[in-house]
Amino acid sequence: MPDPSLTLDSFRAELAECLFLSADEVDLAESPLDAGLDSLRIVTLLERWQAAGVDVTFVELAERTTFAQWWELLTTRQRGAGHADA
């Protein structure tokens, strides 16, 4: 079960897990598709983030072209966003 508090570190760790990288190898300026994420992995991440209290859809993620833009969206949509890292 994911931690209900999404942080930048947990965001990087979840991306890294899907990309078979270490968290410090995740480049937030990179495109999710160029990094190797396919739609199934994106849905897996989306379900984790929704379970952690983030109100976001697949289409909203697909409209953004970098992991940094995903992070910005997730932090603004997180329920009780006051605890999110910048």
Side-chain angles (χ1 to χ4, degrees):
M1 177 98 186
D3 183 341
S5 159
L6 183 63
T7 66
L8 184 55
D9 287 341
S10 66
F11 173 71
R12 283 180 175 274
E14 289 176 342
L15 292 175
E17 180 183 335
C18 286
L19 295 169
F20 305 102
L21 300 172
S22 65
D24 61 339
E25 292 177 297
V26 174
D27 180 359
L28 294 182
E30 190 167 17
S31 159
L33 298 178
D34 290 345
L37 284 183
D38 58 24
S39 59
L40 182 59
R41 288 187 178 123
I42 294 171
V43 169
T44 299
L45 289 166
L46 177 63
E47 289 173 346
R48 289 181 187 179
W49 297 330
Q50 288 172 336
V54 181
D55 182 23
V56 67
T57 68
F58 181 88
V59 171
E60 290 171 321
L61 290 176
E63 291 173 341
R64 284 146 180 88
T65 59
T66 66
F67 290 127
Q69 290 174 341
W70 280 17
W71 177 243
E72 182 179 341
L73 175 66
L74 295 175
T75 57
T76 60
R77 294 295 183 80
Q78 191 168 208
R79 292 183 204 126
H83 58 43
D85 291 359

